[in-house]
Amino acid sequence: MTTDPVTLMKQEVGKAAAARVKSDSIVGLGTGSTTAFAIQYIGERLASGELKNIVGVPTSFQAEVLAKKYNIPLTTLDAIDHIDVAIDGADEVDPQKNLIKGGGAAHTREKVVDSLAQEFIVVVDGGKLVDKLGSTFLLPVEVIPMAVTPVMRKLEDLGGKPDLRMGIKKAGPVVTDQGNLVIDVKFDNIPNPASLEAEINNIPGVLENGLFVGVADVVLVGEIVDGKPHIREF
């Protein structure tokens, strides 16, 4: 049993999101430490019989491994025609519920799944709330390997400071689940996230970027209040 307040808070946010999943639904399973608890609790609700007939669509290899660990049946986008609810984390959330995602380099698959969901629930801790996107977190851009240099030049033209993401405990760059690379871009200011999202995605060689504009429906925020985890809907 953990007594660390931050871990407890992540568990509680994950549990609150998992509690919103209903039987007979198709669930997008996101990536990251808080979402991992949501996957765990969905599995526990299934095991206890409280939930029935759930299938998951994983957004990453991590989500797939966790879903299998907690015996959540999985499907693919080829086999379904809708997603009822998706649960995923975020690296930044602005007051309009726009997000920056991609700290785990899974934002391309996440955007596909989260955008398809009839309801997209974001689970974050209070530290992820910002007044303006880009204020604390770099914007991840997934790019095909041959296009890294020209894409970085174009990102500089858009006012960004691009940097190829390098592996930790791995020599060389981070490689995504799709076999691509990630450029992290520092923008001093993102006044219009929707237009920047479109401009970056129009650069040849870019697969997808971490701006999620107008996708989130519900944001569940975990905070530590008087040393105890507290969850509120944003």
Side-chain angles (χ1 to χ4, degrees), residues 41-210:
Y41 289 120
I42 291 168
E44 288 175 7
R45 289 185 66 202
L46 264 174
S48 72
E50 186 190 326
L51 267 185
K52 290 184 172 59
N53 191 24
I54 293 292
V55 285
V57 181
T59 59
S60 63
F61 187 61
Q62 182 215 22
E64 192 176 324
V65 168
L66 281 172
K68 286 175 178 166
K69 178 180 174 183
Y70 295 111
N71 298 313
I72 301 170
L74 294 178
T75 186
T76 64
L77 294 176
D78 296 330
I80 55 172
D81 62 0
H82 73 285
I83 294 172
D84 295 292
V85 60
I87 299 170
D88 213 341
D91 299 300
E92 284 190 344
V93 183
D94 78 3
Q96 287 73 46
K97 295 192 213 166
N98 296 320
L99 321 173
I100 285 184
K101 291 173 53 51
H107 55 280
T108 298
R109 282 172 67 174
E110 289 169 345
K111 197 180 279 193
V112 172
V113 171
D114 297 343
S115 302
L116 285 170
Q118 284 160 13
E119 182 181 43
F120 173 29
I121 300 171
V122 180
V123 287
V124 289
D125 59 78
K128 306 287 171 69
L129 302 181
V130 295
D131 291 331
K132 278 208 167 108
L133 291 182
S135 36
T136 61
F137 206 80
L138 302 175
L139 176 63
V141 178
E142 181 165 350
V143 60
I144 62 173
M146 67 166 281
V148 166
T149 303
V151 168
M152 284 174 91
R153 284 196 200 107
K154 290 279 192 196
L155 290 166
E156 283 175 354
D157 291 345
L158 290 175
K161 298 183 190 72
D163 220 2
L164 185 62
R165 186 181 301 183
M166 302 310 272
I168 297 168
K169 299 187 178 175
K170 168 194 180 293
V174 166
V175 179
T176 69
D177 287 355
Q178 289 76 245
N180 297 311
L181 304 178
V182 176
I183 298 169
D184 287 313
V185 194
K186 172 67 182 151
F187 284 99
D188 291 331
N189 195 6
I190 303 178
N192 190 333
S195 69
L196 186 64
E197 180 182 25
E199 279 183 286
I200 292 175
N201 280 358
N202 271 333
I203 300 172
V206 169
L207 190 60
E208 190 51 86
N209 70 79

